[in-house]
Amino acid sequence: MSAKEFAKRYGLFIVSLFISALGVAVTKRGELGVSPISSAANVMSMKFDSLSLGSWLIIWNCVLIAGQIILLRKSFQPIQLLQVPLSFLFGIFTDIGMKIAALIPVSGYISRLTSVICGTVILGFGIFLSVAANVIMNSGEAFVKAVSDVSGKKFGDVKIMFDVSCVVIAAVLSLFLFDMKIVGTREGTVIAALFTGVCVKIFTRLFKDKTDALLTGSAVN
């Protein structure tokens, strides 16, 4: 890989982090729940609002990185520690995204649902770009891969279990912190869980060749 391509790939990955963070923020704006991986941090930010959603996402991502280290031990590659500064960057981008999303008017259920759908599409586009960059996995996907490698189970199966576990953790935290009430995890979480992957597939089909050409400098057929 040339230095130019290296710079392009990491530049695209940073752009993907911002777009993904904006997707989380726009989804959050609907107040109908966020994506499964962000749901626990969302509940914590609602109870302990002295820390922003971005700050809680940094903490959550660092927990996932620590989990990778524990699971993989000597097999953990030092380059994966780049997930730490990238997690901080994602948290900062999320808080910036929250300020941008605050400009979106939400006055009723339809507008809130629209915000969730738009946020899911934006998040899907951000994930597509991060996959296209092909440099380093985000902490959530990397944790899933670590569990998959250690357990011998298929990545897709582990990803489903991981998403379900994130929602369960968020629900338990909510019940414990909000007097046996479920907050921060609603139909928006289900929408994000079901359709983010669909959006990634659509964007991949539409733009993969173009992004590959952009990164490698080759012509698009």
Side-chain angles (χ1 to χ4, degrees):
M1 184 189 303
S2 67
K4 184 177 181 180
E5 182 180 343
F6 181 88
K8 283 183 179 180
R9 289 187 179 277
Y10 272 93
L12 182 62
F13 186 76
I14 291 173
V15 170
S16 78
L17 284 181
F18 178 77
I19 294 175
S20 295
L22 180 61
V24 171
V26 173
T27 304
K28 166 70 174 175
R29 178 63 173 157
E31 294 297 345
L32 297 175
V34 293
S35 61
I37 193 172
S38 303
S39 54
N42 185 40
V43 171
M44 294 300 289
S45 70
M46 294 175 72
K47 179 63 177 181
F48 305 104
D49 56 7
S50 58
L51 291 180
S52 65
L53 175 59
S55 297
W56 280 111
L57 283 170
I58 291 171
I59 294 170
W60 174 240
N61 283 323
C62 287
V63 168
L64 294 175
I65 295 167
Q68 294 170 49
I69 295 172
I70 293 170
L71 286 169
L72 296 175
R73 299 182 184 181
K74 293 182 179 179
S75 297
F76 182 83
Q77 299 176 345
I79 193 173
Q80 295 302 324
L81 289 173
L82 282 174
Q83 293 175 47
V84 176
L86 292 173
S87 293
F88 275 82
L89 193 58
F90 182 76
I92 293 169
F93 283 162
T94 300
D95 287 340
I96 294 173
M98 291 290 287
K99 293 180 180 179
I100 296 172
L103 301 175
I104 301 173
V106 285
S107 55
Y109 184 79
I110 297 300
S111 62
R112 293 182 183 278
L113 188 61
T114 301
S115 182
V116 169
I117 294 170
C118 290
T120 300
V121 174
I122 295 169
L123 177 60
F125 185 61
I127 293 173
F128 155 70
L129 290 179
S130 71
V131 173
N134 193 29
V135 286
I136 191 169
M137 301 178 78
N138 63 55
S139 59
E141 302 299 314
F143 179 80
V144 170
K145 186 177 184 301
V147 175
S148 175
D149 290 345
V150 171
S151 66
K153 296 183 181 296
K154 293 181 179 179
F155 180 90
D157 294 338
V158 177
K159 180 67 168 66
I160 293 171
M161 290 188 291
F162 175 71
D163 286 347
V164 171
S165 297
C166 287
V167 174
V168 170
I169 290 170
V172 170
L173 284 171
S174 177
L175 290 170
F176 179 74
L177 296 173
F178 291 93
D179 299 323
M180 301 306 292
K181 296 179 181 178
I182 297 291
V183 300
T185 305
R186 292 181 51 181
E187 57 268 39
T189 303
V190 177
I191 291 171
L194 292 177
F195 294 107
T196 299
V198 174
C199 292
V200 173
K201 289 180 180 179
I202 293 173
F203 286 126
T204 300
R205 186 165 60 249
L206 292 175
F207 302 118
K208 185 178 187 302
D209 290 343
K210 294 181 176 63
T211 53
D212 287 347
L214 174 67
L215 293 169
T216 60
S218 59
V220 180
N221 294 324

